[in-house]
Amino acid sequence: MNRYRRQLVEPYRYGVQREWCWRGWQSRYGFWRPASEGHRGSPVILLHGFGASLRHWRYNLRLLGEYQPTYALDLMGLGAAEKPVAAYGAEFWAAQVHAFWQGIVGQPAVMVGNSIGALIALTCAYHYPQMAAGVVMLSLPDPAVREELIPRAIAPLVGAIEQIFTAPWLLRALFYTIRQPAIVKRWAQLAYANPACVDDELLEILLSPAYDRHSDRAFVQIIRAMSRPDFGPSAKRMLNSVSQPLLLIWGKQDRFIPPMLSRQFPQVQPRLEVVELDHSGHCPHDEQPDRLNGLLLDWLRRHELLRG
């Protein structure tokens, strides 16, 4: 049983929620649609980051959904989705999102992702171009950076050290250690420029899935997957290949992924629009939702992805 009690929030804050099955595994999604047909532009699919869920879009889903059909999906192993034994990685999750798009959305959509969700959104556009009308990335990790930074001569040594520190028994012990409100709060505050944004609702969003059945197993598998060079395709290679409109938004106070990386990506894709947000950390959609929502709606209008 979930030991972290759910709090009452505004009805439909996370959209209308439905269960959805993929490869025999249960997941969950939320959605909101405009009341007026005149406002229906390209659908939007929101993809959360590691340790989060569809509920991390608490300030975005409903607002965007007033303009165009908007969906938020729990990725397998995270949120309210099942925690199976699986080959986790950007391409695995992109396959899940593609199946969701085929079964639920059915027309080219704007992929919006935060952190790992941004990498998944870009991977969707790269592998399944027919599903993506555009891609918006809120802080973009690049699996290839690891290989670029580690000299080839010491790569085997680094790999051996990683094997030690990602041993399943050690990661499982770490999971049970950090699955505490005080520790999660300190970790979350590192992701935000303004620590006050880490409120009780956010802590419940982050903590609740950690008490689901097999959550420890999923944590171990995902962390081990993230340490492998094949966790996902090179972000630079994908950016160079996709033809859809691209927007990259990065918090200037992001402590998880250095903002300086955002300045490398336009070198491989000149069409990429980059916006750096001051007073914002790793999760600008939750820390500065009004500003982020305004930027996104303006970008959608300029690229004719929003009507009305």
Side-chain angles (χ1 to χ4, degrees), residues 5-229:
R5 293 184 60 188
R6 295 185 181 275
Q7 298 177 343
L8 293 175
V9 296
E10 175 189 348
Y12 299 115
R13 188 181 181 90
Y14 314 121
V16 178
Q17 295 196 31
R18 296 283 187 270
E19 298 297 316
W20 176 72
C21 188
W22 178 61
R23 297 184 181 178
W25 301 318
Q26 288 295 121
S27 184
R28 180 176 298 172
Y29 70 96
F31 69 92
W32 200 256
R33 300 189 182 106
S36 169
E37 291 289 336
H39 282 81
R40 290 179 183 268
S42 298
V44 172
I45 300 177
L46 305 172
L47 303 173
H48 61 81
F50 175 69
S53 69
L54 69 85
R55 299 167 68 210
H56 203 198
W57 301 101
R58 54 184 173 161
Y59 300 129
N60 320 104
L61 175 58
R62 278 282 302 273
L63 185 139
L64 296 174
E66 296 294 337
Y67 293 88
Q68 55 212 96
T70 302
Y71 304 83
L73 175 67
D74 274 341
L75 300 169
M76 285 300 167
L78 300 166
E82 200 166 336
K83 284 44 177 198
V85 174
Y88 292 105
E91 291 171 316
F92 168 83
W93 281 311
Q96 178 194 354
V97 177
H98 179 246
F100 173 78
W101 172 81
Q102 283 184 309
I104 304 297
V105 184
Q107 66 183 93
V110 178
M111 314 300 299
V112 181
N114 172 227
S115 192
I116 287 177
L119 181 65
I120 297 165
L122 182 58
T123 304
C124 286
Y126 179 70
H127 281 304
Y128 313 103
Q130 72 280 7
M131 72 177 288
V135 184
V136 179
M137 298 153 285
L138 314 180
S139 185
L140 176 63
D142 188 354
V145 168
R146 176 182 179 276
E147 301 303 307
E148 295 171 2
L149 295 178
I150 300 174
R152 186 171 298 180
I154 65 170
L157 175 61
V158 173
I161 294 172
E162 287 179 339
Q163 285 294 318
I164 295 172
F165 284 97
T166 58
W169 68 269
L170 185 59
L171 289 176
R172 190 168 283 107
L174 175 64
F175 173 79
Y176 287 115
T177 299
I178 65 176
R179 190 182 62 171
Q180 305 297 330
I183 295 176
V184 170
K185 184 174 184 177
R186 286 197 294 270
W187 169 78
Q189 286 175 337
L190 290 175
Y192 288 72
N194 180 7
C197 291
V198 182
D199 56 18
D200 289 342
E201 182 187 0
L202 178 61
L203 286 177
E204 195 274 331
I205 289 170
L206 299 174
L207 275 165
S208 181
Y211 291 93
D212 288 349
R213 186 168 178 260
H214 298 315
S215 56
D216 57 339
R217 181 178 68 186
F219 175 84
V220 170
Q221 290 184 302
I222 293 171
I223 293 295
R224 286 175 64 84
M226 290 169 65
S227 71
R228 296 195 303 264

